[in-house]
Amino acid sequence: MERVVVLADIHGVLPALEAVLAEPDVAAADVVVLAGDIASGPQPVETLDLLVGLGERAVWVRGNADRELVAMARGTYDGQPPDAVSPWAAEQLRTDQVELLDALPTTVTIGDTLFCHATPRDDEEVVLVDSPISRWADVLSGVPEEIRTIVCWHTHMPFARQVDRRLVVNAGSVGMPYGAPGASWALLTSSGVQLRRTALDASAADQLAKHSTYPGIESWLDEYLRSNYSDTEALEAFRPRSEV
């Protein structure tokens, strides 16, 4: 396989997903890794249906929000929902979609590259681009030596950095990007890794406002699509969870 595209943290934002899938390099990819937190958002059913249509090109990885959606849909979720949209999204899913999310693996390996949602050992663990090397070494301690690239996401902020001669890549977020506007994703080829961003105009928010039945859609759009959190804001919010 020469081209692998990573689409992470789509969060049920169908217009952003459609815009990324229309990118020539995405359309030409041999594999599209769907890297967790796929459906928890304003158009969960439509998002999953579109991704299933990718067929064998799609390689699915489960994220923490996918796990939580399954529990909410089955009435087994214990605790406070992480946000307002998740319980609503869980109610929208068909039974086959709940079963699909429940069956997804938490890690996938292609060649010498490992794909996971947060870290290889936990779907909620937070580690940041500027976390100390000792923290990174602990997080990656169980990864086999033959794995030379680890691709993760979860924090919605794209980056690439070296960790003791390994490459760690965060593909960012398609649906809820932090740091800069536009849907972020990653392209992996034999030449290396490219962090990409697809611009979204006002029509994306207009489409969601028109087609999503989520009651809080206008507030959601104001927070995540009509504006976005800066990398400074996001890093400060995540930092306490990264220092455990």
Side-chain angles (χ1 to χ4, degrees):
M1 293 174 290
E2 296 184 355
R3 289 174 173 264
V4 177
V5 161
V6 182
L7 310 184
D9 292 282
I10 299 167
H11 280 286
V13 183
L14 185 65
L17 173 61
E18 290 174 330
V20 172
L21 290 177
E23 293 275 12
D25 280 332
V26 178
D30 301 293
V31 172
V32 179
V33 177
L34 308 173
D37 287 12
I38 298 164
S40 182
Q43 287 188 282
V45 172
E46 299 89 339
T47 295
L48 287 171
D49 283 343
L50 178 58
L51 293 173
V52 167
L54 295 177
E56 295 184 356
R57 291 177 65 217
V59 173
W60 300 66
V61 177
R62 192 183 72 193
N64 62 293
D66 306 313
R67 170 174 51 80
E68 292 161 358
L69 277 187
V70 170
M72 291 176 191
R74 292 176 174 172
T76 59
Y77 187 80
D78 183 19
Q80 184 70 22
D83 51 38
V85 74
S86 294
W88 174 86
E91 292 178 354
Q92 312 310 306
L93 297 180
R94 302 190 304 265
T95 300
D96 63 297
Q97 294 176 323
V98 175
E99 293 174 350
L100 167 66
L101 294 177
D102 188 39
L104 299 182
T106 56
T107 65
V108 168
T109 299
I110 300 176
D112 64 355
T113 301
L114 184 148
F115 301 85
C116 57
H117 182 66
T119 71
R121 64 188 184 183
D122 190 285
D123 66 9
E124 289 186 294
E125 189 172 30
V126 172
V127 59
L128 303 172
V129 62
D130 60 352
S131 292
I133 195 68
S134 58
R135 169 77 170 136
W136 277 103
D138 176 56
V139 165
L140 302 181
S141 60
V143 177
E145 182 63 25
E146 60 267 23
I147 298 296
R148 306 315 303 163
T149 301
I150 297 94
V151 185
C152 55
W153 23 92
H154 187 53
T155 58
H156 297 209
M157 291 178 291
F159 67 79
R161 65 161 290 175
Q162 293 292 319
V163 178
D164 192 18
R165 296 186 297 277
R166 282 171 160 162
L167 178 63
V168 177
V169 179
N170 189 313
S173 171
V174 170
M176 296 168 61
Y178 299 159
S184 56
W185 48 283
L187 173 66
L188 284 65
T189 70
S190 57
S191 300
V193 175
Q194 298 177 36
L195 298 176
R196 298 287 191 88
R197 194 176 296 275
T198 298
L200 301 176
D201 59 26
S203 65
D206 293 342
Q207 289 180 53
L208 276 171
K210 180 178 180 180
H211 297 293
S212 173
T213 59
Y214 173 50
I217 186 60
E218 287 296 335
S219 295
W220 190 97
L221 289 170
D222 287 342
E223 185 168 6
Y224 295 113
L225 210 57
R226 295 183 178 127
S227 63
N228 75 298
Y229 291 102
S230 74
D231 53 330
T232 301
E233 292 172 311
L235 283 168
E236 288 306 308
F238 280 121
R239 198 168 307 285
R241 293 169 54 193
S242 73
E243 296 172 349
V244 296

